Amino acid sequence: MGNLFKYSSLTTKIRSMSSDLISIEGFKTLSECRSITDAVNELMHYKYYSNVFKNIDINALHREDIEQILLLSNLEEFSRLCKFSSSTPKKYLNLVSMYNTIYVLKRMLRDILSHRPTSLDLKLYSQYLGKKMNLNIEDLISSKDISQFIEALKNTEYYNCLNEVFLKGSTGIFDYALALDSYYFEICFKFANKELKGDEKKEVLSILGTRCDFLNMQWIYRTKKYYKVDNAKIYATLTPHYYKLSPDEIKRMTEAEGADEFNEVFDTTYYGRLSSKLFKIRPGLEEFYMATLEYLYTKNKKNNPYSLATLSYYLYFRELEISRVIEIIESIRYSLSSEDIITKILKLKARRSFA
């Protein structure tokens, strides 16, 4: 009964917000729009997007503009949820805020390391990221190279993990992104083990563990398919958290001779069996990762609605929805057919199940 009282009002609010999420059929209808104007008019049937795009001429916007508008709208909604929440949900949302901050830091790092202009107008993000995280957005924006960027983070919790990578002489986004991800997972696991109990703890750990498993599998697979990397170096860059993958399975994947042998090992694991359940044909790892998270978030919400599961379900599916909307609008702009969008962007035809 404790969780019922703790989450009753929040669950009611989230259920109302979730009713406005775009369904699979809704995405198919959006994919059939012939123009950007038609697509926006279709989105206007949803309260979320009618608020986002009011008084905006969508035809004058590029993908980056649309992406920024939708990302900011997501942060605004998240900010309202934070004000509504308290206790455990509030602490969980603090972790989500960290996730959003790390996403922006990765975008900035990618731009700096590739010597290109910033792909986001970061001044617009300052009210959501700067205050609570001690981030000096102005200093980050004005950074000309990676050393200045890291120096601008000196008084934040992200400085140590990124500076450690910098001192090793790394110049690639992967090493910096991995450092941020590893730090984030450590904080999240501590939260779950300290603050949560029972089924709620089990469900949050299932999501965290799955994310770690896939982070490891994706890195191992890329080294086998695209790079020549010594096995010792692969082991050194893996996250130390295993969920459905045993140490022996990780070892066999790491020591596989190539991508084909990796896939053979993968097929014998829990994830190989789940892939057969969710897909008609073998998906790519990234596609399967997204499907697995959809499956877990949906299952957890059904099993334990008066818990963090309902909140995390909504946050994940809103983030996924925004990503899909951006891709569909961009595809319509370049005159891709609805068949191509459904097959190549949404990748719906290969799916056997969505829950």
Side-chain angles (χ1 to χ4, degrees), residues 255-291:
E255 298 181 3
E257 289 299 321
D260 290 340
E261 188 175 331
F262 172 95
N263 285 329
E264 290 175 7
V265 177
F266 172 85
D267 288 340
T268 67
T269 68
Y270 163 83
Y271 294 108
R273 295 187 292 275
L274 181 60
S275 176
S276 298
K277 178 179 178 180
L278 298 181
F279 287 87
K280 301 170 187 175
I281 57 176
R282 182 195 294 276
L285 263 182
E286 183 64 28
E287 182 182 357
F288 178 46
Y289 175 44
M290 303 301 289

Side-chain angles (χ1 to χ4, degrees), residues 74-85:
N74 195 30
L75 288 175
E76 287 170 6
E77 185 179 61
F78 172 79
S79 180
R80 290 193 293 272
L81 273 175
C82 286
K83 293 176 182 177
F84 184 83
S85 304

Side-chain angles (χ1 to χ4, degrees), residues 2 79 96 182-183 348:
S79 180
V96 179
S182 297
Y183 175 71
L348 300 181

Side-chain angles (χ1 to χ4, degrees), residues 15 42 60 83 112 135 141 181 184 189 240 264 266 281:
R15 280 176 176 168
E42 179 62 32
K83 293 176 182 177
I112 286 175
L135 293 179
I141 292 173
D181 287 338
Y184 177 69
F189 276 108
E264 290 175 7
F266 172 85
I281 57 176

Side-chain angles (χ1 to χ4, degrees), residues 57-319:
D57 179 8
I58 193 71
N59 290 300
L61 301 175
H62 296 288
R63 177 198 168 105
E64 293 81 6
D65 302 317
I66 296 170
E67 181 180 20
Q68 182 145 284
I69 289 169
L70 291 177
L71 290 175
L72 281 169
S73 70
N74 195 30
L75 288 175
E76 287 170 6
E77 185 179 61
F78 172 79
S79 180
R80 290 193 293 272
L81 273 175
C82 286
K83 293 176 182 177
F84 184 83
S85 304
S86 60
S87 187
T88 302
K90 184 79 168 183
K91 293 177 182 177
Y92 177 79
L93 287 171
N94 286 338
L95 294 179
V96 179
S97 179
M98 179 184 288
Y99 171 86
N100 292 334
T101 299
I102 286 175
Y103 170 80
V104 172
L105 289 177
K106 286 180 183 177
R107 288 284 296 263
M108 297 180 74
L109 280 164
R110 190 176 293 114
D111 293 338
I112 286 175
L113 291 169
S114 58
H115 308 289
R116 64 188 183 194
T118 181
S119 54
L120 294 173
D121 185 353
L122 293 165
K123 291 182 180 178
L124 297 176
Y125 290 79
S126 60
Q127 61 178 307
Y128 304 108
L129 305 177
K131 295 177 181 177
K132 291 184 179 179
M133 301 294 176
N134 294 321
L135 293 179
N136 189 321
I137 297 295
E138 292 292 337
D139 285 352
L140 290 173
I141 292 173
S142 64
S143 299
K144 303 298 183 185
D145 55 36
I146 187 64
S147 62
Q148 291 181 12
F149 182 83
I150 291 176
E151 185 64 24
L153 290 169
K154 195 159 190 178
N155 294 320
T156 74
E157 60 185 305
Y158 307 108
Y159 175 78
N160 287 338
C161 67
L162 291 177
N163 191 51
E164 185 177 338
V165 176
F166 174 71
L167 292 176
K168 291 178 181 177
S170 179
T171 58
I173 181 59
F174 174 81
D175 293 330
Y176 288 99
L178 179 63
L180 287 170
D181 287 338
S182 297
Y183 175 71
Y184 177 69
F185 282 126
E186 288 299 325
I187 298 296
C188 288
F189 276 108
K190 287 178 182 177
F191 163 79
N193 287 314
K194 180 180 179 181
E195 301 289 343
L196 306 180
K197 297 178 181 179
D199 289 339
E200 190 170 49
K201 177 179 178 178
K202 182 179 179 181
E203 289 161 0
V204 170
L205 288 175
S206 74
I207 298 295
L208 291 173
T210 297
R211 287 181 180 273
C212 287
D213 280 350
F214 271 92
L215 192 65
N216 284 336
M217 285 193 292
Q218 287 169 322
W219 169 233
I220 296 171
Y221 179 78
R222 287 174 190 144
T223 65
K224 301 303 174 184
K225 188 172 178 66
Y226 303 110
Y227 313 113
K228 276 265 186 185
V229 180
D230 184 77
N231 288 344
K233 291 184 179 178
I234 297 176
Y235 281 122
T237 55
L238 297 179
T239 61
H241 300 285
Y242 306 146
Y243 178 53
K244 292 293 186 179
L245 291 176
S246 68
D248 180 64
E249 288 168 335
I250 288 287
K251 181 175 183 293
R252 287 162 56 208
M253 287 180 177
T254 302
E255 298 181 3
E257 289 299 321
D260 290 340
E261 188 175 331
F262 172 95
N263 285 329
E264 290 175 7
V265 177
F266 172 85
D267 288 340
T268 67
T269 68
Y270 163 83
Y271 294 108
R273 295 187 292 275
L274 181 60
S275 176
S276 298
K277 178 179 178 180
L278 298 181
F279 287 87
K280 301 170 187 175
I281 57 176
R282 182 195 294 276
L285 263 182
E286 183 64 28
E287 182 182 357
F288 178 46
Y289 175 44
M290 303 301 289
T292 302
L293 289 180
E294 287 182 56
Y295 170 77
L296 281 175
Y297 279 116
T298 302
K299 184 180 75 169
N300 289 347
K301 183 177 79 78
K302 287 179 179 178
N303 291 342
N304 197 8
Y306 291 98
S307 71
L308 288 174
T310 297
L311 174 60
S312 60
Y313 169 93
Y314 175 77
L315 292 172
Y316 175 76
F317 277 90
R318 181 63 82 191
E319 179 186 15

